[in-house]
Amino acid sequence: MAEFTMELNDDQKQVRDWIHGFAADVIRPAAAEWDEREETPWPVIQEAAKVGIYSLDFYAQQFFDPTGLGIPMAMEELFWGDAGIALSIVGTGLAAIGVLANGTEEQIGTWIPQMYGTPDDVKVAAFCSSEPDAGSDVGAMRTRAVYDQASDEWVLNGTKTWATNGGIANVHIVVAVVDPELGTKGHASFIVPPGTPGLSQGQKFKKHGIRASHTAEVVLEDVRIPGSCLLGGKEKLDERLARAREKAKAGGGERVKNAAMATFEASRPAVGAMAVGTARAAYEVALDYAKTRTQFGRPIIDNQGVAFQLADMRTQIDAARLLVWRASWMAIAGKPFTAAEGSMSKLYASEVAKKVTAQAVQILGGNGFTREYPVERMHRDAAIYTIFEGTSEIQRLVIARTLSGMPIR
């Protein structure tokens, strides 16, 4: 087990600089265009695939970095480039994590490569959990999966919402209810293969920020998938459901992680790193502007009102990064989140991103409010971090319940 460190090694620095170069040279020049178009930036994703950033091998290398810092380092640099485009590049990763967290070795080897495609024919994947009436309250999920024993197929019906890459994905990972009486313990995840009849895209959302990332509803109407597409397999599911039923009969309170929660727990520090990247980008723009913008005969950074804001911005960004790195190291080292450290990192970094980008707009004044400068876009993008993959309110609830010993549902 690697010791926790705040210093990247030479190999990590080389990877960081490589990703930063791609973000600076490819992502940033395209950011404003794709934000305006509100379309998936396929050419940029293809460029990322050609250089090896959009690939299973790249994410596997970062995911299994023994220090735990590979993924947060990569996320920070990509989202420093632009949040919308970066989310289009990394959005497939959430579905891949869902398979890695819950799937068999055969499922991992079969389906994750199909999520990415090839550099000449890139594909994307979607993780579908939220529903119109079930966002933070995953217990309100209504999408059903019913097993047809005669054909060894699962039949899925329901509507998912807020799905990144929803409807345009090659592979969809769908969380559904298999036993309504067990609440969140009766959920399971399923692989919907490419071209499966009955799956369609519903409403595509026009968003406040991250507009280069495709977000839409996914409608499932009598979607039939092979039994082998149940993540983890039916035997494992039956065993888990049996334990949950026994505990329910006995009045026990065993905490059983559902499939969606396992995915979110693994990804929350990574989301925190995304927020750090956006915050850092806005801070750097504001710092450069404050050094060169002259008012009353001197650069505005000479005014304490501006200088102190920049000092606070940098301090908060560094503190957020440290929380993200700690949680990422704990996860790879197998240390339990006894104080919900993963949620802490996502909560704090998300709030910092919103605050820092707002301060950057203020420092740039009228210029910051226009699309001629990128902080306006960064401020819009930052709003998502306190909402998706668990709102700030839910993170606080998770932290509080962890500290108090109450069950997290």
Side-chain angles (χ1 to χ4, degrees):
M1 181 182 70
E3 293 296 325
F4 178 70
T5 176
M6 294 182 289
E7 180 67 26
L8 299 177
N9 60 42
D10 290 341
D11 289 341
Q12 290 170 326
K13 290 177 181 177
Q14 186 175 8
V15 172
R16 178 199 62 192
D17 294 344
W18 170 52
I19 301 171
H20 183 84
F22 181 84
D25 297 339
V26 181
I27 293 178
R28 279 207 168 177
E33 175 189 350
W34 291 99
D35 178 72
E36 291 286 347
R37 292 175 63 168
E38 299 192 52
E39 297 174 359
T40 300
W42 291 107
V44 183
I45 298 174
Q46 188 168 37
E47 286 300 312
K50 287 179 179 178
V51 300
I53 289 177
Y54 185 75
S55 71
L56 173 61
D57 288 344
F58 171 74
Y59 287 106
Q61 290 174 12
Q62 304 314 311
F63 188 82
F64 293 109
D65 182 330
T67 69
L69 302 184
I71 288 293
M73 175 191 66
M75 294 301 104
E76 179 177 338
E77 294 305 327
L78 287 171
F79 281 73
W80 172 89
D82 176 70
I85 292 178
L87 191 56
S88 286
I89 293 173
V90 308
T92 293
L94 186 60
I97 289 173
V99 176
L100 285 169
N102 302 294
T104 65
E105 289 187 9
E106 182 178 358
Q107 289 170 333
I108 292 170
T110 299
W111 295 107
I112 293 184
Q114 295 188 48
M115 294 179 175
Y116 290 95
T118 67
D120 294 326
D121 184 21
V122 293
K123 305 292 184 183
V124 294
F127 182 78
C128 309
S129 177
S130 295
E131 298 184 2
D133 296 320
S136 298
D137 182 11
V138 293
M141 190 177 294
R142 294 180 180 177
T143 296
R144 287 295 309 276
V146 178
Y147 183 61
D148 184 344
Q149 189 170 0
S151 61
D152 184 28
E153 292 179 316
W154 288 91
V155 184
L156 277 61
N157 282 281
T159 299
K160 294 296 181 178
T161 193
W162 311 124
T164 298
N165 298 330
I168 66 170
N170 196 45
V171 177
H172 290 77
I173 304 301
V174 177
V175 182
V177 179
V178 295
D179 188 334
E181 295 182 359
L182 293 177
T184 58
K185 298 175 185 179
H187 294 179
S189 286
F190 299 86
I191 303 161
V192 182
T196 300
L199 185 148
S200 62
Q201 179 183 308
Q203 175 187 5
K204 178 186 175 182
F205 297 103
K206 297 182 73 66
K207 305 187 298 294
H208 176 65
I210 55 168
R211 301 197 302 195
S213 173
H214 176 95
T215 309
E217 290 181 331
V218 174
V219 180
L220 304 139
E221 297 179 308
D222 291 328
V223 172
R224 302 184 75 92
I225 58 175
S228 60
C229 287
L230 165 65
L231 279 177
K234 194 167 187 304
E235 182 177 349
K236 183 178 178 180
L237 172 65
D238 289 342
E239 291 175 356
R240 178 167 64 82
L241 295 178
R243 289 197 304 270
R245 293 186 188 109
E246 286 299 317
K247 286 293 180 181
K249 288 179 181 178
E254 181 186 36
R255 288 169 56 186
V256 179
K257 294 180 182 176
N258 63 59
M261 189 63 72
T263 301
F264 290 142
E265 283 187 0
S267 63
R268 276 172 180 160
V271 176
M274 299 173 188
V276 171
T278 300
R280 189 184 111 211
Y283 158 76
E284 290 176 0
V285 173
L287 177 63
D288 289 343
Y289 185 87
K291 289 179 178 179
T292 58
R293 173 67 168 174
T294 300
Q295 291 288 279
F296 304 106
R298 60 181 181 175
I300 62 173
I301 198 171
D302 285 353
N303 298 305
Q304 285 188 348
V306 173
F308 283 8
Q309 283 191 74
L310 289 163
D312 287 343
M313 291 158 74
R314 176 59 186 267
T315 300
Q316 291 162 359
I317 290 167
D318 283 9
R321 182 184 298 108
L322 287 174
L323 283 172
V324 167
W325 282 18
R326 180 185 68 167
S328 300
W329 171 77
M330 290 178 67
I332 200 71
K335 293 184 177 294
F337 288 164
T338 56
E341 288 86 352
S343 289
M344 282 185 184
S345 68
K346 196 269 184 184
L347 168 65
Y348 188 74
S350 298
E351 297 291 344
V352 165
K354 283 187 68 174
K355 184 175 181 180
V356 164
T357 55
Q359 288 176 304
V361 171
Q362 187 69 25
I363 289 171
L364 269 67
N367 287 327
F369 199 66
T370 71
R371 296 188 184 181
E372 296 299 314
Y373 288 80
V375 293
E376 175 271 339
R377 184 181 69 252
M378 294 167 182
H379 183 42
R380 287 188 285 107
D381 291 343
I384 194 60
Y385 297 125
T386 61
I387 298 172
F388 74 173
E389 293 201 52
T391 64
S392 288
E393 292 76 17
I394 289 297
Q395 304 307 324
R396 291 184 174 97
L397 182 63
V398 169
I399 295 166
R401 286 187 169 176
T402 302
L403 297 176
S404 67
M406 295 174 63
I408 300 171
R409 295 185 294 274

